[in-house]
Amino acid sequence: MIVPMKKVSLIVLSERKEDTLKKLRKLGLLQIEITEGSGERIRELHEQIASLERCIFSLGKPEKTDAAEEALPPSEALAISRSVDALNEERQSCHTEQAALQAELARLQPWGEVDPASIAACAEKGIAFSLYEIPVSEYEHLDECVKTLCLARTKSSVKCLIIRSGAEGEDEAIASLGAYEVRLPAVSTAEIRRQIAELDSRMRAIDEKIAAYAHEIGGIKLALHTLEKELEFEIYATGMPEESLPAGEGQEVSVSYFRGYLEAENLDRLKKAAKDNAWGLLAEDPTEEDNVPTKLKNNRFVSLIYPITDFLGTVPGYFEFDISSWFLVFLLIFFGIIFGDGGYGLLICAAAAIPAAKALASKKAIPPAVLLVGLFGLSTVLWGTLTCSWFGVSPDLLPQWLKNLSVPVISNVYSDRLWYPFGPDGGGLTTSQNLQIFCFTLALIQLAIAHLKCAVRNRHSIKMLGDIGSIFQLLGIYYVVLSLVVSSEVFSFGLVLGGIPVGTVAGALVALGFVLSFVFSNYEGSILKSILASLINIVSVLLGVVNVFSDIVSYIRLWAVGLAGAAISATVNELAGPLLGHFMFIVLAIILLVFGHGLNMILNVLSVIVHGIRLNTLEFSSHLDMSWSGHKFQPFEE
């Protein structure tokens, strides 16, 4: 459920606002609605927090220790962060210098060992030469006055030394060449390598100095938290508006005020604090125009979905629905269908059982994420049992007792059999078609739940008739989907069951639902205004019927993704099967099985994120008119 909130406004004397904030922080009840502050201290705190964050990033993940972490005083943490910043700057400088030297060495690499000092010494003794790279066509037609020594030759160019003899016309002949003179380095290539090695050694020493601070990372994180709390306090203290009010006899008094939100059940505690401290307090119910934070409160089972919603960053708005329970139930179903293999489910359960056993052995609570993974595994095992899917193995090779546990109409054991829901004359359905029907039925149930929740919310208004109309549309379009997607023979529009023309009833439900939705969906006290609103948005209203159809059809992705995963696992088994029959290739077969099935499980996890979560946060939520526009309730506390 979404915890009821109260909007409160506090008025305090400006001279006592900091004392007031300290007392409010100690209470830890109120989320203050002030987002901006000013002052030099705020800028300074931002810089200090950024410095500590850089330091934590540089230190990385610390080694686990049994010692309890103690917060470092902010001054000590900042001293460490400044040292780490200086070391990082030095390392960056070394890295830049090393990169330049490596580029220089790479440039000279084709010329072998180059020593400019030796070349200069030769020049002093009358032997002057330069390094040149000359196109082959030019090199073959050099003037006789140009003396060269070829060092290397390729199809396109020649690397050579041009020896300066001082002969007449030598400079003109060299200048006329399409030649590229290689610039000599400042030092020899041997010296460049020595400098690179020295810089590498310096960077290793810097890394060791940085690593020496790693044991302080826990204390630095706690110091960071302290500074963040101080920044929050400064923002609130400097962000409060101030006004001067007349206090009698020509005097004025300066007051500060702010607004915030707290849980309705804690209002009495805030009232008592306001009375004890002479604060002005106004409490009222929030309206839809207010930016009300959301706090969810559910039982332990439903709360297992929180790791998923926290990862996604999805928070319902205060005036929206809390669908945590439905989200969890349907996600478990979707997960099982998408993975679709009982063998994979057993592996998932085993993966969850290991950390759960460790937590129990150390007498700690099992993390919610571990319990959630375990439920995902059980859901997958259940679906694999119902469909007789175990590691992609053909049902013919599975023991009979596993086959007996499966449900025939959706079991792989009976994939070649036709099922006749309305008798042989009505046409048959394959196992795949039965699975499609299951997915569409799942869509009908989940989307109908959405509109039932809306109808309950609007139960005191005739707007509820619009929600009932949406349910009628769902029922009628559900049959249309079965006819168009599954089988037009089995689910024909002329089908009559027990004297009831099913196709005609489906069409009537769609028409009736559309009329009810058209007339009452926008009802806000006047039917005429509701009809006018629908007429103004007639295109959207008509597209709404199409959207219902597409939303139901969208659930076929569960069957399609599950089918793809089953095909991959079966293919992996077919590739590895022949290898298992040869002793020489057993290891290779095992590697192939582990890699193939492991990759398939990874793809299935991605499919759950893309498809399973989507059906909850998009299709289901859109029928609830949810936009997930909320933000978490975060009280101002120590």
Side-chain angles (χ1 to χ4, degrees), residues 428-450:
L429 295 172
T430 65
T431 300
S432 291
Q433 288 174 317
N434 288 331
L435 288 169
Q436 293 174 26
I437 294 172
F438 180 85
C439 292
F440 294 143
T441 304
L442 204 57
L444 175 64
I445 294 171
Q446 188 174 27
L447 300 182
I449 287 171

Side-chain angles (χ1 to χ4, degrees), residues 447 451 466 469-481 484 506-519 521 534 537-554 622-623:
L447 300 182
H451 289 290
S470 297
I471 296 173
F472 286 165
Q473 286 188 69
L474 278 171
L475 292 169
I477 292 176
Y478 168 73
Y479 187 80
V480 174
V481 170
L484 297 180
L509 285 173
V510 174
L512 176 61
F514 177 79
V515 171
L516 289 174
S517 181
F518 185 88
V519 174
S521 287
S534 296
N537 299 292
I538 187 64
V539 175
S540 299
V541 172
L542 293 174
L543 287 177
V545 180
V546 179
N547 288 338
V548 173
F549 178 88
S550 64
D551 286 345
I552 294 176
V553 172
S554 183
S622 67
H623 285 257

Side-chain angles (χ1 to χ4, degrees), residues 184-247:
L184 292 177
V187 295
S188 66
T189 50
E191 175 63 16
I192 292 175
R193 281 192 289 272
R194 189 195 67 77
Q195 291 179 9
I196 290 174
E198 181 180 342
L199 288 169
D200 195 54
S201 177
R202 283 175 60 190
M203 286 191 290
R204 284 198 300 270
I206 290 171
D207 290 340
E208 290 174 0
K209 290 180 181 179
I210 292 176
Y213 292 114
H215 68 283
E216 300 283 10
I217 190 170
I220 294 173
K221 286 181 177 179
L222 294 174
L224 173 63
H225 180 71
T226 300
L227 289 180
E228 288 174 339
K229 286 295 181 181
E230 185 178 347
L231 174 62
E232 182 184 36
F233 185 93
E234 287 294 324
I235 289 174
Y236 292 156
T238 59
M240 284 189 196
E242 294 186 11
E243 288 191 14
S244 296
L245 300 178

Side-chain angles (χ1 to χ4, degrees), residues 483-532:
S483 178
L484 297 180
V485 179
V486 179
S487 173
S488 59
E489 180 183 5
V490 176
F491 302 101
S492 68
F493 289 105
L495 177 65
V496 177
L497 287 178
I500 300 174
V502 180
T504 303
V505 170
L509 285 173
V510 174
L512 176 61
F514 177 79
V515 171
L516 289 174
S517 181
F518 185 88
V519 174
F520 298 105
S521 287
N522 298 302
Y523 179 79
E524 294 293 342
S526 170
I527 294 179
L528 180 59
K529 289 182 179 179
S530 178
I531 295 173
L532 287 174

